[in-house]
Amino acid sequence: MLFNSPIFIFLFLPLTLGGFYWLARRGADDLTLGWLVLASLLFYGYWNPVYLLLILGSVAANFFIGTRLYSDETPARRAWMWLGVGLNLGLLGYFKYAGFFVANLEYLLGAEIAKVDIVLPLAISFFTFQQIAYIADVYQ
C-alpha cells in the first residue's frame, strides 16, 4: 500500500487515526498501543503477507534474546548479545546479498548453482538496525 494510494488515503489512514483517537480519549493506553501495532502490521503485510512472518519472527527472536540479556548476569551475557547482533546481520545479509554471492560464485565456477530470486522485504534494513539498537541498549 502506497502512501498516495486511494486505499491508504480514504480507508486505512482514516480508520487508523479514528481508532487511535477514539481509544486515546477513553484512556485505554494499552489498547491504543495495540491498535497502532495492529495497524502497522496490517500496513506492512499488505504488500506481501509472507513477510509478516519474517518481521514477527525477527521481533520474537530479538525479544527472547533481550529478555535473556536483561535477566542474565553471567559471562554468557556477552555471547547472547553477539548472537542477537549476528542473527540480525545474517538475516539482513541473506536478503540483501545472497543473490550477489551466488551470481559471483556461478561466474567463478562457470556453472549454474541455483536460481536465486529473493525479493527484498520492505524496510528490512530499518527494522534490522532498530533491533540491533534494542539488543545493544538492553546489553548496556
Side-chain angles (χ1 to χ4, degrees), residues 40-102:
S40 297
L41 291 173
L42 178 67
F43 181 81
Y44 189 80
Y46 184 82
W47 175 62
N48 193 345
V50 172
Y51 289 132
L52 275 177
L53 298 174
L54 172 72
I55 195 169
L56 290 173
S58 180
V59 167
N62 280 284
F63 181 75
F64 173 76
I65 292 170
T67 56
R68 293 297 306 234
L69 285 172
Y70 186 74
S71 62
D72 194 2
E73 293 297 328
T74 66
R77 187 170 184 266
R78 185 178 179 100
W80 280 106
M81 189 265 306
W82 284 113
L83 175 67
V85 171
L87 286 174
N88 282 298
L89 291 177
L91 185 69
L92 180 64
Y94 170 75
F95 280 99
K96 287 192 105 168
Y97 302 113
F100 171 76
F101 286 119
V102 169

Side-chain angles (χ1 to χ4, degrees), residues 71-139:
S71 62
D72 194 2
E73 293 297 328
T74 66
R77 187 170 184 266
R78 185 178 179 100
W80 280 106
M81 189 265 306
W82 284 113
L83 175 67
V85 171
L87 286 174
N88 282 298
L89 291 177
L91 185 69
L92 180 64
Y94 170 75
F95 280 99
K96 287 192 105 168
Y97 302 113
F100 171 76
F101 286 119
V102 169
N104 281 296
L105 191 58
E106 287 177 343
Y107 177 76
L108 288 173
L109 298 176
E112 188 173 324
I113 297 172
K115 183 73 173 156
V116 180
D117 282 330
I118 300 171
V119 177
L120 192 63
L122 295 174
I124 190 168
S125 296
F126 174 75
F127 76 74
T128 299
F129 289 120
Q130 287 292 315
Q131 292 180 122
I132 290 173
Y134 164 73
I135 294 292
D137 286 346
V138 173
Y139 180 75

